[in-house]
Amino acid sequence: MEELLKLWQSMGIANLEWGQALMMAVGCGLIYLAIAKKFEPLLLVPIGFGALLSNIPVAGIGGPDGMIGQIYAVGVETGIFPLLIFMGVGALTDFGALIARPSTLLLGAAAQFGIFATLIGAVALNFLPGFDFTLQDASAIAIIGGADGPTAIFLASRLAPDLLGAIAVAAYSYMALVPIIQPPIMRALTTKKERAVVMQQLRPVSQLERILFPFVVLLLCAMLLPSAAPLIGMLMLGNLLRECGVVERLSRAAQNEIINIVTIMLGLAVGSKLSADKFLALETLGILVLGAAAFCIGTAAGVLMGKVMYRVTGGKVNPLIGAAGVSAVPMAARVVNRVGLEEDHHNFLLMHAMGPNVAGVIGSAVAAGVLLALTGN
Amino acid sequence: MEELLKLWQSMGIANLEWGQALMMAVGCGLIYLAIAKKFEPLLLVPIGFGALLSNIPVAGIGGPDGMIGQIYAVGVETGIFPLLIFMGVGALTDFGALIARPSTLLLGAAAQFGIFATLIGAVALNFLPGFDFTLQDASAIAIIGGADGPTAIFLASRLAPDLLGAIAVAAYSYMALVPIIQPPIMRALTTKKERAVVMQQLRPVSQLERILFPFVVLLLCAMLLPSAAPLIGMLMLGNLLRECGVVERLSRAAQNEIINIVTIMLGLAVGSKLSADKFLALETLGILVLGAAAFCIGTAAGVLMGKVMYRVTGGKVNPLIGAAGVSAVPMAARVVNRVGLEEDHHNFLLMHAMGPNVAGVIGSAVAAGVLLALTGN
Amino acid sequence: MEELLKLWQSMGIANLEWGQALMMAVGCGLIYLAIAKKFEPLLLVPIGFGALLSNIPVAGIGGPDGMIGQIYAVGVETGIFPLLIFMGVGALTDFGALIARPSTLLLGAAAQFGIFATLIGAVALNFLPGFDFTLQDASAIAIIGGADGPTAIFLASRLAPDLLGAIAVAAYSYMALVPIIQPPIMRALTTKKERAVVMQQLRPVSQLERILFPFVVLLLCAMLLPSAAPLIGMLMLGNLLRECGVVERLSRAAQNEIINIVTIMLGLAVGSKLSADKFLALETLGILVLGAAAFCIGTAAGVLMGKVMYRVTGGKVNPLIGAAGVSAVPMAARVVNRVGLEEDHHNFLLMHAMGPNVAGVIGSAVAAGVLLALTGN
Amino acid sequence: MTDNTLIIESLTLMGIGMGIVFGFLLLLVGILRTMSWVAGRLLPMPPAPDPVPPVLTPSTHGSGDTAGSDDLIAVIAAAVARYRTRP
Amino acid sequence: MTDNTLIIESLTLMGIGMGIVFGFLLLLVGILRTMSWVAGRLLPMPPAPDPVPPVLTPSTHGSGDTAGSDDLIAVIAAAVARYRTRP
Amino acid sequence: MTDNTLIIESLTLMGIGMGIVFGFLLLLVGILRTMSWVAGRLLPMPPAPDPVPPVLTPSTHGSGDTAGSDDLIAVIAAAVARYRTRP
Ligand code: NA
Ligand code: NA
Ligand code: NA
């Protein structure tokens, strides 16, 4: 009898809280989006499953002694997991288009306006009842506009760990929604003539340039903005492993083993931050709205800067490629290509959009460094 | 002179204890079984080598500051290594046969009787002088009957870390002995006619069913038995990565990189628990005898449940497949196939035995959850 | 205004110390040697990049809370990373040539004279002003003469962590310089006739011998020199995984995933020890000079022992293969082959040099064990 | 705890344990059958994970997906609302 | 901190932030152009990382490399000297 | 410790060290030769690791292996017995 009572008390159903049930549904919802709608499945499947596991009553899998809680402590609190993923991104990224046409960095810079506009939006939300974001919170939310998952997780884990779950979910969800969010904005801000601009082919880039590139970026970062150095440093390390041509084994490890293993762990750990108390709060709705705004503003800023470059170069730059400045590699560049093809069936903008696209990765890492330097403690 | 003395005192041979020498021999014996007899070599080679290294005098490799001791603390005390292996098992397992014929779950349930019968046996051994098993000890020993290595290690690390070495060795040894232990029992309990039953072909299973399966199992577990949630959860995560079709990279990582790396580490860590004081005790003999009994009883219970299903279905179920319910995937299913072929050279039972076989994995994880909930603290 | 000041104070350029700038240059120099001169790129690229990252002002990436500092604490302070690499080396090494002709072990023994001669040299340097090496320091420096990266890192992390950076850099640099350092010494110490000796073909080695080999070596080490057991043990575990033929998955993991992942981490961690205070010291110059001496003396000792064997065997042993006894696998063996071919275009010594070459690995692990046992605390 | 108490405890454990294992797996049999039935009904219709082999390129959703963003917010808004208005 | 102060703070942050982002990337444009120009000048000459595909065997340096060892010591000696003689 | 003591210490260390290294490896030469001789004697006989390429499926042991389970218990029983009866 006593055993039966003990057993009943140990059952999940006897301890299930309303919020946990909802969060398990949210976890299933994220996995549904990942599988059925192909929303960034590599991250959203583990994040969703992490939410599911962490919200199982009694088990405490996401707690300090639970498996996922321990993974969180080792990999996310220390910042190591997002940095290792960033190394993998660097090893997977070809910066050739950027090296061939460095001016596209300005498009990547302009698109970061989405971040800072969102920062103001987040602070402004405090005027509404129920919101109380600190400047740290606002900074962590704003980085969603960078359209860069690992950067967002890294910054949020440093500035606002409580919001990490919502921020990561928003960041990856909107990255997946780039093909829906961007085209209308791109069409609204450009003329038919601008969209039809055919750009001149990129010059080939030598291996020496590719090898020097990581050093140049890292040294500039070290001199001006050391707070961005972990992010930029790991990105550039990955890229150097890729380009230097003498460490094929390590490059493969960064592109495959490390990034795959860490992605599973990071996803589970982030999912454990999807608890009812933190996630089913008004703040989350605010974050989702602000995130959408950030993407729209970033896209618009990129396109507008594209128009400036169109003018300045006398029509040599297709302003559409500015939209790729938000990063979301390589989806934003693909979207640019698609919108460009609507106008002219032979105008392939993909390679031209890769420049601003990877510039956006550097740009949002720089923005993250600024936010960390000025609001971190 | 002083140096020479210091040197002599630092030599292994000057410090070798009798028990260490014996345990090094045990380690070599395990490796011999693994290599020459193909006894679960993936685990027994690292376990044996871990025993060898940990029993080297003076070096203290298995101690708290030694390499293997640190691996143990990080991976086994936290429970993370067996859970990661379970994720890999999930990613390697095809649950199709179980989904096509869910009734075989009952065979997987019956075979767990071996676990609970052994529990009583372990407690009963206390009447003999020299045995003093607590209920936790008995539970950890009983799980050997689950024929599931990672589950046994996980439970033992939680309930009876001192017995971990002996339990893991017994579990893997008997899993390897399945082809010897099971056939006589199977033949003794079934008639010629029963063994010759040809089962009807399994229906195909849709991808949607395969994707829903992990959620259904996990949610039931979360509601009824959260203490089994880490095990079932990681098994189902692995299976979802495998079946969802959109995270090929992660599925490959779970099936290869992660499981291989963790297997080496886990084996070494488990081997470090093979110390003379803990292993060369009367208890170990008790554990080995109980483990053999557990396998026999589990097999018999599975086959008897198979006979029940044979009756109930009017002869459509071959009772032999009940023996596969002990798990030991996929060896038990192969044994069923082999014994079936003895009777009828064209009766291939392999696919039919896979259902109870994988059901046994779920069944013993459930049993582990019950033991953890009722005897853990 | 205040923000601008805060920002300026957070900039790298406002905090850059002279030494940091120099060390960043040293890091770039190491990467240059790795890429342009193919100096052990697998290690020197990550080490160089680790130096670069760790010397970025303000960021503190190599500090106790920084990413690389944490990697150092987990992987190098515990000794786990070099040991895992040694396991990989074991899994990549074919000891067949050594088993076929065990007498070549003596060549591997002789070459370790470089280590002990350097030990005296390091202590003697104390007579110069500005040097103050303890016996531990001297031992850690001496191990450079072993021409074995992981062994050097393991010993230095135990005996003289402050010198780790300089020792690792020296060890890998000289290993890369083997093709330049060795040939003149080899030519100077041998006659034309000796260099032209054609050795008799090696007998085939059975799988049983290959499987027994790791146990024999490990047991001898356990009995005589347990302080070398972690190194020898992991080397032999890797080799057993390779040779036993039943754990293909684990062997592949040791040879690829584990060694690649750990190499990146280890390189970064070692690089973080390249700080101006420790590296830009007179000691480093001493270490570099001593390291070069160690290689030269080791090579000479190996060749001289080769000459002894040439005499004893009545001219059956080509003394050149003694030079391979310094390890630096497989480069030293290749150098022997090349110098041999200079004399006789059909005399391929590669396989014969592999015996002393892998014997050198065991020899320097033994020497490391001696140093650890007699000077460690 | 005397050995006899232990025996009784372990007998109880066996009863409860086998009960739960059987109960759990029996329940699972039922749920899996329901699941397969539901999946069979859903499958003829086009939605949800297509049996089409996974596309290699991240899908560029057609216009039919335009509701995705709203869906996300709507679903979570509903969840938040429910959670906050709980008794 | 009141909400108004926060707004002002965040406006400052926006100004400084976009300034740095643009400044940083503009500077990078210039440096990358310089880098490409320098790389173009260096490339015709033989030294430094060859555009030849990476060799598979660890290179067995020709006699031209004999200075390698001295180089290493020389470079580091110079660095040490400079460092120790700093004001 | 003065530098002179250090020199003497390190000379001792060199003596002992080279002694052990040579002793160890000389011993190993002998043991390896014995090992090869023993392995050569064992090899003609069928038992132990077959030179046959590793089978891919976990072996389904023939009837000759039936003693495996007893072996295991017997071996460990003997070890336990010896250990417990040590002086
Ligand atoms: Na971005
Ligand atoms: Na089982
Ligand atoms: Na060596």
Side-chain angles (χ1 to χ4, degrees):
Chain A
M1 211 42 235
E2 198 189 330
E3 250 83 13
L4 277 179
L5 188 67
K6 193 175 173 191
L7 190 74
W8 165 252
Q9 284 169 347
S10 79
M11 277 194 183
I13 209 160
N15 294 275
L16 183 66
E17 291 165 24
W18 187 219
Q20 288 171 327
L22 276 174
M23 287 316 295
M24 290 173 84
V26 168
C28 290
L30 291 174
I31 298 173
Y32 170 78
L33 291 175
I35 298 177
K37 307 275 184 187
K38 311 271 180 316
F39 265 38
E40 299 278 326
L42 291 175
L43 257 293
L44 285 192
V45 167
I47 288 180
F49 216 90
L52 213 48
L53 290 178
S54 303
N55 282 286
I56 293 177
V58 184
I61 300 177
D65 290 333
M67 181 195 56
I68 301 184
Q70 292 176 3
I71 292 176
Y72 184 88
V74 167
V76 183
E77 261 172 30
T78 60
I80 286 177
F81 282 172
L83 292 175
L84 288 178
I85 294 209
F86 228 48
M87 179 174 76
V89 170
L92 287 162
T93 302
D94 176 354
F95 283 98
L98 179 61
I99 301 172
R101 190 183 281 143
S103 57
T104 54
L105 276 166
L106 297 183
L107 299 168
Q112 309 313 320
F113 187 68
I115 293 179
F116 293 101
T118 309
L119 176 69
I120 293 178
V123 170
L125 270 188
N126 283 351
F127 288 106
L128 296 183
F131 288 97
D132 188 22
F133 291 130
T134 65
L135 206 56
Q136 278 85 1
D137 294 344
S139 302
I141 295 167
I143 201 69
I144 299 174
D148 205 318
T151 301
I153 292 174
F154 182 77
L155 196 73
S157 73
R158 253 113 213 80
L159 295 180
D162 277 356
L163 303 178
L164 176 60
I167 289 172
V169 165
Y172 282 104
S173 298
Y174 289 123
M175 281 163 69
L177 288 170
V178 150
I180 298 161
I181 294 175
Q182 290 199 318
I185 301 170
M186 293 157 72
R187 287 188 207 106
L189 292 176
T190 51
T191 65
K192 221 171 156 51
K193 191 183 151 208
E194 285 168 346
R195 290 199 292 279
V197 168
V198 178
M199 294 180 71
Q200 105 194 57
Q201 224 192 312
L202 290 169
R203 69 170 176 85
V205 171
S206 72
Q207 204 203 350
L208 177 57
E209 287 174 274
R210 290 175 183 276
I211 292 177
L212 291 178
F213 176 77
F215 295 96
V216 162
V217 176
L218 179 60
L219 290 178
L220 188 63
C221 168
M223 290 308 109
L224 297 190
L225 200 61
S227 50
L231 283 168
I232 298 275
M234 292 305 277
L235 185 73
M236 291 300 131
L237 170 58
N239 195 242
L240 179 65
L241 296 181
R242 170 200 181 90
E243 301 292 0
C244 74
V246 292
V247 292
E248 199 44 52
R249 288 177 76 108
L250 306 185
S251 172
R252 239 182 312 119
Q255 288 175 28
N256 293 291
E257 286 89 316
I258 295 179
I259 202 170
N260 293 345
I261 295 173
V262 172
T263 297
I264 294 178
M265 305 289 167
L266 177 64
L268 289 175
V270 166
S272 76
K273 286 284 159 183
L274 293 181
S275 66
D277 269 353
K278 311 282 186 212
F279 191 78
L280 293 183
L282 204 53
E283 276 93 346
T284 300
L285 289 185
I287 290 172
L288 287 169
V289 169
L290 289 166
F295 267 65
C296 296
I297 297 172
T299 304
V303 174
L304 291 175
M305 178 53 96
K307 285 169 79 93
V308 170
M309 289 182 69
Y310 170 81
R311 294 279 156 80
V312 170
T313 60
K316 284 189 181 164
V317 171
N318 187 318
L320 288 179
I321 68 169
V326 295
S327 35
V329 185
M331 217 187 292
R334 288 218 186 93
V335 169
V336 168
N337 196 48
R338 191 152 55 81
V339 176
L341 287 174
E342 284 171 11
E343 223 50 61
D344 172 354
H345 283 307
H346 300 93
N347 190 9
F348 292 94
L349 292 170
L350 189 64
M351 276 315 294
H352 303 290
M354 284 312 294
N357 209 189
V358 299
V361 177
I362 297 176
S364 46
V366 169
V370 173
L371 294 172
L372 211 49
L374 295 185
T375 74
N377 28 21
Chain B
M1 211 42 235
E2 197 190 331
E3 251 82 14
L4 277 178
L5 188 68
K6 193 175 172 191
L7 191 74
W8 165 251
Q9 284 169 347
S10 79
M11 276 195 185
I13 209 160
N15 294 276
L16 184 66
E17 291 165 24
W18 188 218
Q20 289 171 327
L22 276 174
M23 287 315 297
M24 289 174 84
V26 169
C28 290
L30 291 175
I31 298 174
Y32 171 78
L33 291 175
I35 298 177
K37 306 275 183 189
K38 312 272 179 316
F39 265 38
E40 298 279 326
L42 291 176
L43 257 294
L44 285 191
V45 168
I47 288 179
F49 216 90
L52 213 48
L53 290 179
S54 303
N55 283 287
I56 293 177
V58 184
I61 300 177
D65 290 334
M67 182 195 57
I68 301 185
Q70 292 177 2
I71 292 176
Y72 183 89
V74 167
V76 183
E77 261 172 31
T78 60
I80 285 177
F81 282 172
L83 292 176
L84 288 178
I85 293 209
F86 228 49
M87 178 173 76
V89 170
L92 286 163
T93 302
D94 177 353
F95 284 99
L98 179 61
I99 300 172
R101 191 182 280 144
S103 57
T104 54
L105 277 165
L106 297 182
L107 299 168
Q112 309 313 319
F113 187 68
I115 292 179
F116 293 100
T118 309
L119 176 68
I120 293 179
V123 170
L125 270 188
N126 283 351
F127 287 106
L128 296 183
F131 287 98
D132 188 21
F133 291 130
T134 65
L135 206 56
Q136 279 86 1
D137 294 344
S139 302
I141 295 166
I143 200 70
I144 298 173
D148 205 318
T151 300
I153 293 174
F154 182 78
L155 197 73
S157 73
R158 252 113 214 77
L159 295 181
D162 277 357
L163 304 177
L164 176 60
I167 289 172
V169 166
Y172 282 103
S173 298
Y174 289 124
M175 281 163 67
L177 288 170
V178 151
I180 297 161
I181 295 175
Q182 290 199 319
I185 300 171
M186 292 158 72
R187 288 190 207 105
L189 292 176
T190 50
T191 65
K192 221 171 155 50
K193 190 183 150 207
E194 286 168 345
R195 291 199 292 279
V197 168
V198 178
M199 294 180 71
Q200 109 194 52
Q201 222 192 314
L202 290 170
R203 71 170 176 83
V205 171
S206 72
Q207 203 202 351
L208 178 56
E209 287 175 273
R210 290 174 183 276
I211 292 177
L212 290 178
F213 176 77
F215 294 97
V216 163
V217 177
L218 178 60
L219 289 178
L220 189 64
C221 167
M223 290 309 108
L224 297 191
L225 200 62
S227 50
L231 282 169
I232 298 275
M234 292 305 276
L235 186 72
M236 291 300 132
L237 169 59
N239 195 242
L240 179 66
L241 296 180
R242 171 200 179 90
E243 301 292 359
C244 73
V246 292
V247 292
E248 199 45 51
R249 288 175 77 108
L250 305 185
S251 172
R252 239 182 313 121
Q255 288 175 29
N256 293 291
E257 286 89 316
I258 295 179
I259 203 171
N260 293 345
I261 294 173
V262 171
T263 297
I264 295 178
M265 305 289 167
L266 178 64
L268 289 174
V270 167
S272 76
K273 287 283 158 183
L274 293 180
S275 67
D277 269 353
K278 312 282 185 212
F279 191 79
L280 293 182
L282 204 54
E283 277 93 345
T284 301
L285 289 185
I287 289 171
L288 286 169
V289 170
L290 288 167
F295 267 65
C296 297
I297 296 172
T299 305
V303 174
L304 291 175
M305 177 53 96
K307 286 169 78 93
V308 171
M309 288 182 70
Y310 169 80
R311 294 277 156 80
V312 170
T313 59
K316 285 189 180 165
V317 171
N318 187 317
L320 288 178
I321 67 169
V326 296
S327 34
V329 186
M331 218 186 293
R334 288 218 186 92
V335 170
V336 169
N337 195 48
R338 191 152 54 80
V339 176
L341 287 175
E342 285 171 11
E343 224 48 60
D344 170 355
H345 283 307
H346 299 93
N347 190 8
F348 292 94
L349 292 170
L350 188 64
M351 275 316 293
H352 303 291
M354 284 312 294
N357 210 188
V358 298
V361 177
I362 297 177
S364 47
V366 169
V370 173
L371 295 171
L372 211 50
L374 295 185
T375 74
N377 28 22
Chain C
M1 212 43 235
E2 197 189 329
E3 251 83 12
L4 278 179
L5 188 67
K6 193 174 172 190
L7 190 74
W8 165 252
Q9 283 169 347
S10 79
M11 277 194 183
I13 209 159
N15 294 276
L16 184 66
E17 291 165 24
W18 187 219
Q20 289 171 326
L22 276 174
M23 287 316 296
M24 290 174 84
V26 169
C28 290
L30 291 175
I31 298 174
Y32 170 78
L33 291 175
I35 297 178
K37 306 275 183 188
K38 312 273 180 314
F39 265 38
E40 299 278 325
L42 290 176
L43 257 294
L44 286 191
V45 167
I47 289 180
F49 216 90
L52 212 49
L53 290 179
S54 303
N55 282 287
I56 292 177
V58 183
I61 300 178
D65 290 333
M67 182 195 57
I68 300 185
Q70 292 176 3
I71 292 176
Y72 183 88
V74 167
V76 183
E77 261 172 32
T78 61
I80 285 178
F81 281 172
L83 292 176
L84 288 179
I85 294 209
F86 228 48
M87 179 174 74
V89 169
L92 287 163
T93 302
D94 177 354
F95 283 99
L98 180 61
I99 301 172
R101 191 182 281 144
S103 58
T104 53
L105 276 165
L106 297 182
L107 299 169
Q112 309 314 319
F113 187 68
I115 293 179
F116 293 100
T118 309
L119 176 69
I120 294 178
V123 170
L125 270 189
N126 283 350
F127 287 106
L128 295 184
F131 287 98
D132 188 21
F133 291 130
T134 65
L135 207 54
Q136 278 84 2
D137 294 345
S139 303
I141 295 167
I143 200 69
I144 298 173
D148 205 318
T151 300
I153 292 174
F154 182 78
L155 196 73
S157 72
R158 253 114 213 77
L159 296 180
D162 276 358
L163 303 177
L164 176 59
I167 289 172
V169 166
Y172 282 104
S173 298
Y174 289 123
M175 282 163 68
L177 288 170
V178 152
I180 297 160
I181 295 176
Q182 291 198 319
I185 300 170
M186 293 157 73
R187 287 190 207 105
L189 292 176
T190 51
T191 65
K192 221 171 154 52
K193 191 181 148 208
E194 287 168 346
R195 291 200 291 279
V197 168
V198 178
M199 295 181 70
Q200 106 194 56
Q201 223 192 313
L202 291 170
R203 69 170 177 84
V205 172
S206 73
Q207 204 202 350
L208 178 57
E209 288 174 273
R210 290 173 183 277
I211 292 176
L212 291 177
F213 176 76
F215 294 97
V216 163
V217 177
L218 179 59
L219 289 177
L220 188 64
C221 167
M223 290 309 109
L224 298 191
L225 200 61
S227 50
L231 282 168
I232 298 275
M234 291 306 275
L235 186 72
M236 291 300 132
L237 169 58
N239 196 242
L240 179 65
L241 296 181
R242 171 200 179 90
E243 301 292 1
C244 74
V246 292
V247 293
E248 198 45 51
R249 288 176 76 108
L250 305 185
S251 171
R252 238 181 313 120
Q255 287 176 29
N256 294 291
E257 285 89 316
I258 295 179
I259 202 171
N260 293 345
I261 295 172
V262 172
T263 298
I264 294 178
M265 305 290 168
L266 177 64
L268 289 175
V270 166
S272 76
K273 287 285 159 183
L274 293 180
S275 66
D277 270 353
K278 312 284 186 212
F279 191 78
L280 293 183
L282 205 51
E283 277 93 345
T284 300
L285 288 185
I287 289 172
L288 287 168
V289 170
L290 288 167
F295 266 65
C296 296
I297 297 171
T299 303
V303 174
L304 291 175
M305 177 54 96
K307 285 168 79 92
V308 171
M309 289 181 69
Y310 170 81
R311 295 278 157 79
V312 171
T313 60
K316 285 191 181 163
V317 171
N318 187 319
L320 288 178
I321 68 168
V326 296
S327 36
V329 186
M331 218 185 293
R334 288 219 186 91
V335 170
V336 169
N337 195 49
R338 192 151 55 79
V339 176
L341 287 175
E342 284 171 11
E343 223 50 59
D344 170 355
H345 284 306
H346 300 94
N347 190 8
F348 292 94
L349 292 170
L350 189 64
M351 275 317 292
H352 303 291
M354 284 312 294
N357 209 189
V358 299
V361 177
I362 297 176
S364 46
V366 169
V370 173
L371 294 172
L372 211 50
L374 295 184
T375 73
N377 28 21
Chain D
M1 222 183 310
T2 72
D3 288 353
N4 277 326
T5 337
L6 261 188
I7 289 278
I8 291 166
E9 278 234 47
S10 60
L11 278 169
T12 326
L13 206 51
M14 181 199 236
I16 296 180
M18 282 309 287
I20 294 181
V21 170
F22 259 102
F24 189 100
L25 295 185
L26 259 175
L27 219 58
L28 194 51
V29 172
I31 298 180
L32 283 181
R33 288 210 169 128
T34 316
M35 177 194 92
S36 292
W37 181 82
V38 171
R41 303 228 53 172
L42 284 174
L43 208 66
M45 300 173 229
D50 339 339
V52 188
V55 283
L56 284 174
T57 53
S59 75
T60 44
H61 312 277
S63 51
D65 282 348
T66 323
S69 171
D70 303 337
D71 275 359
L72 180 71
I73 292 187
V75 162
I76 296 179
V80 170
R82 269 208 208 148
Y83 180 64
R84 291 291 152 194
T85 60
R86 71 189 187 281
Chain E
M1 224 183 309
T2 70
D3 290 353
N4 277 324
T5 336
L6 261 187
I7 289 277
I8 292 165
E9 276 235 48
S10 60
L11 279 169
T12 327
L13 207 52
M14 181 199 237
I16 296 180
M18 283 308 289
I20 294 181
V21 171
F22 259 102
F24 190 99
L25 295 185
L26 259 174
L27 219 58
L28 193 52
V29 173
I31 298 180
L32 284 181
R33 288 214 169 123
T34 316
M35 176 194 94
S36 292
W37 180 81
V38 171
R41 303 229 53 173
L42 284 174
L43 209 66
M45 299 174 230
D50 339 338
V52 188
V55 283
L56 284 174
T57 53
S59 75
T60 44
H61 312 276
S63 51
D65 283 349
T66 323
S69 171
D70 304 336
D71 275 359
L72 181 72
I73 293 186
V75 162
I76 295 179
V80 170
R82 270 208 208 149
Y83 180 65
R84 292 290 152 195
T85 60
R86 71 189 187 283
Chain F
M1 221 184 308
T2 70
D3 289 353
N4 278 323
T5 336
L6 261 187
I7 289 277
I8 292 166
E9 278 233 47
S10 60
L11 278 168
T12 326
L13 207 52
M14 181 199 236
I16 296 180
M18 282 310 288
I20 294 181
V21 170
F22 259 101
F24 189 100
L25 296 185
L26 259 175
L27 219 58
L28 193 52
V29 172
I31 297 181
L32 283 182
R33 288 213 168 126
T34 317
M35 176 194 93
S36 292
W37 180 82
V38 171
R41 303 229 53 171
L42 284 174
L43 208 66
M45 299 174 230
D50 338 340
V52 188
V55 283
L56 284 174
T57 53
S59 76
T60 45
H61 311 276
S63 51
D65 282 349
T66 323
S69 171
D70 303 336
D71 275 359
L72 181 71
I73 292 187
V75 163
I76 295 179
V80 170
R82 269 207 209 148
Y83 179 64
R84 292 290 152 195
T85 60
R86 71 188 187 283

